Amino acid sequence: MGINFSISAGHLTAKPELRYFRRDNTPYTRFTVAVNRNFSKSFLEKHPDAQTADFIPCIIKGNYASYLVNHCDKGSLVTVKGRLQSRRYTTETGENRSVLEVNVEEVVIGDYRKKNTSAEDAPAGSAQTPASTPLDEEDEEIPF
């Protein structure tokens, strides 16, 4: 038995766009979450070129996808829970590619800058709550 579980919290790198699978017309969106790394100030002083964020590719399907597209913009704070999945595909030019992404099962949207979202608008079974306090000034910087 294996365990495949991922939770990441960070900011969207772009506004998500709704798309539909050709086979069954299910809505989906692919998006990237920028997750800050926690480095000490002394480490960053010694390594000024260190990458300070990881960029996690994600896909979400169904009503959650529609909800995310309608309620999030570039920079929105999200927490995603899902499983890692790898897939392979061939481009139109014949190149073989592989992708590792999070197949999102749940998403929590929390952004103190957007006060107009409410849990009533969320798809059934979702946990969507705005952050209760503003982020610290250090956390407010988005690495993109």
Side-chain angles (χ1 to χ4, degrees):
M1 181 174 117
I3 297 174
N4 184 350
F5 189 72
S6 174
I7 297 177
S8 297
H11 295 272
L12 296 179
T13 61
K15 176 155 180 57
E17 293 182 23
L18 197 60
R19 298 178 184 263
Y20 297 89
F21 288 112
R22 284 185 227 153
R23 66 180 178 269
D24 61 2
N25 213 31
T26 300
Y28 75 96
T29 188
R30 293 186 192 284
F31 58 97
T32 302
V33 178
V35 179
N36 288 333
R37 292 183 180 177
N38 295 321
F39 290 124
S40 66
K41 287 186 180 182
S42 62
F43 177 85
L44 290 174
E45 288 170 0
K46 293 177 188 172
H47 307 283
D49 294 333
Q51 181 178 345
T52 58
D54 293 304
F55 297 89
I56 313 297
C58 301
I59 182 171
I60 191 167
K61 303 168 190 161
N63 290 336
Y64 283 115
S66 300
Y67 183 76
L68 190 73
V69 167
N70 290 328
H71 291 84
C72 291
D73 290 308
K74 178 179 179 177
S76 292
L77 178 64
V78 296
T79 302
V80 294
K81 175 185 150 191
R83 60 185 167 76
L84 283 176
Q85 119 183 341
S86 62
R87 62 184 173 86
R88 294 173 189 226
Y89 65 95
T90 305
T91 65
E92 292 176 359
T93 59
E95 295 178 68
N96 292 324
R97 301 265 172 101
S98 62
V99 176
L100 182 64
E101 62 193 354
V102 176
N103 188 338
V104 177
E105 297 163 355
E106 292 181 44
V107 63
V108 176
I109 301 168
D111 197 340
Y112 70 93
R113 293 173 284 194
K114 270 195 132 172
K115 302 285 186 191
N116 60 349
T117 59
S118 68
E120 296 165 0
D121 297 333
S126 72
Q128 186 272 330
T129 56
S132 58
T133 57
L135 300 173
D136 295 332
E137 285 186 25
E138 287 182 353
D139 293 337
E140 201 168 346
E141 287 193 28
I142 301 171
F144 47 85

Coordinates of all heavy atoms in Angstrom, one line a residue, residues 16-22 25-30 60-62 65-66 69:
P16 N -6.9 31.8 -13.1 CA -7.3 30.5 -13.8 C -8.3 30.7 -14.9 O -9.2 31.6 -14.8 CB -7.9 29.7 -12.6 CG -7.8 30.5 -11.4 CD -7.4 31.8 -11.8
E17 N -8.2 29.8 -15.9 CA -9.2 29.9 -17.0 C -9.9 28.6 -17.1 O -9.3 27.5 -17.1 CB -8.4 30.1 -18.3 CG -7.8 31.5 -18.4 CD -7.1 31.7 -19.8 OE1 -7.5 31.1 -20.7 OE2 -6.2 32.6 -19.8
L18 N -11.2 28.6 -17.3 CA -12.0 27.4 -17.4 C -11.9 26.8 -18.8 O -12.0 27.5 -19.8 CB -13.5 27.7 -17.1 CG -14.4 26.6 -16.7 CD1 -13.9 25.8 -15.5 CD2 -15.8 27.1 -16.5
R19 N -11.7 25.5 -18.8 CA -11.7 24.7 -20.0 C -12.6 23.5 -19.8 O -13.0 23.2 -18.7 CB -10.3 24.3 -20.3 CG -9.3 25.5 -20.6 CD -7.9 25.0 -20.8 NE -7.0 26.1 -20.9 CZ -6.6 26.7 -22.1 NH1 -7.1 26.2 -23.2 NH2 -5.8 27.7 -22.1
Y20 N -12.8 22.7 -20.9 CA -13.7 21.6 -20.9 C -13.0 20.4 -21.5 O -12.4 20.5 -22.6 CB -15.0 21.9 -21.6 CG -15.8 23.0 -20.9 CD1 -15.6 24.3 -21.2 CD2 -16.7 22.7 -19.8 CE1 -16.3 25.3 -20.5 CE2 -17.4 23.7 -19.2 CZ -17.2 25.0 -19.5 OH -17.9 26.0 -18.9
F21 N -13.1 19.2 -20.9 CA -12.6 18.0 -21.5 C -13.5 17.7 -22.7 O -14.7 17.8 -22.7 CB -12.6 16.8 -20.6 CG -11.6 16.9 -19.5 CD1 -12.0 17.1 -18.2 CD2 -10.2 16.8 -19.8 CE1 -11.0 17.2 -17.2 CE2 -9.3 16.8 -18.8 CZ -9.7 17.1 -17.5
R22 N -12.8 17.3 -23.8 CA -13.5 16.9 -25.1 C -14.4 15.7 -24.9 O -15.5 15.6 -25.4 CB -12.6 16.7 -26.2 CG -12.0 18.0 -26.8 CD -11.1 17.7 -28.0 NE -9.9 18.4 -27.8 CZ -8.7 18.1 -28.3 NH1 -8.6 17.0 -29.0 NH2 -7.7 18.8 -28.0
N25 N -17.1 16.8 -21.7 CA -17.5 18.2 -21.4 C -17.4 18.6 -19.9 O -18.0 19.6 -19.5 CB -18.9 18.5 -22.0 CG -18.9 20.0 -22.5 OD1 -17.9 20.5 -22.9 ND2 -20.1 20.5 -22.4
T26 N -16.6 17.9 -19.1 CA -16.4 18.2 -17.7 C -15.5 19.5 -17.6 O -14.4 19.6 -18.3 CB -15.7 17.1 -17.0 OG1 -16.5 15.9 -17.1 CG2 -15.4 17.4 -15.5
P27 N -15.9 20.5 -16.8 CA -15.0 21.7 -16.7 C -13.8 21.3 -15.9 O -13.8 20.5 -15.0 CB -15.9 22.6 -15.9 CG -17.0 21.9 -15.3 CD -17.1 20.6 -16.1
Y28 N -12.7 22.0 -16.2 CA -11.4 21.9 -15.5 C -10.6 23.1 -15.7 O -10.9 23.9 -16.5 CB -10.6 20.6 -15.9 CG -9.9 20.8 -17.3 CD1 -8.6 21.2 -17.3 CD2 -10.6 20.6 -18.5 CE1 -7.9 21.4 -18.5 CE2 -9.9 20.7 -19.7 CZ -8.6 21.1 -19.7 OH -8.0 21.3 -20.9
T29 N -9.6 23.3 -14.8 CA -8.6 24.3 -15.0 C -7.3 23.9 -14.5 O -7.2 23.1 -13.5 CB -9.1 25.7 -14.3 OG1 -8.2 26.7 -14.6 CG2 -9.1 25.5 -12.8
R30 N -6.3 24.3 -15.1 CA -4.9 24.1 -14.7 C -4.4 25.4 -14.2 O -4.6 26.4 -14.7 CB -4.0 23.6 -15.9 CG -4.4 22.2 -16.4 CD -3.4 21.8 -17.4 NE -3.9 20.6 -18.1 CZ -3.9 19.4 -17.7 NH1 -3.4 19.2 -16.5 NH2 -4.4 18.4 -18.4
I60 N -7.7 21.0 -11.4 CA -8.9 20.7 -10.6 C -10.1 20.6 -11.6 O -10.1 21.3 -12.6 CB -9.1 21.9 -9.6 CG1 -10.2 21.5 -8.6 CG2 -9.4 23.2 -10.3 CD1 -10.3 22.5 -7.4
K61 N -11.0 19.7 -11.3 CA -12.1 19.4 -12.2 C -13.5 19.6 -11.6 O -13.6 19.7 -10.4 CB -12.0 17.9 -12.6 CG -10.7 17.5 -13.2 CD -10.5 16.0 -13.3 CE -9.0 15.7 -13.7 NZ -8.7 14.4 -13.4
G62 N -14.5 19.7 -12.4 CA -15.8 19.8 -12.0 C -16.2 21.1 -11.4 O -15.7 22.2 -11.8
A65 N -13.6 23.6 -10.2 CA -12.9 24.3 -11.2 C -13.7 25.6 -11.5 O -13.1 26.7 -11.6 CB -12.7 23.5 -12.5
S66 N -15.0 25.5 -11.7 CA -15.8 26.6 -12.0 C -15.7 27.6 -10.8 O -15.6 28.9 -11.0 CB -17.3 26.2 -12.2 OG -17.4 25.3 -13.3
V69 N -12.3 29.5 -10.8 CA -12.2 30.5 -11.9 C -13.1 31.7 -11.5 O -12.6 32.8 -11.8 CB -12.7 29.9 -13.2 CG1 -12.9 30.9 -14.3 CG2 -11.7 28.8 -13.7

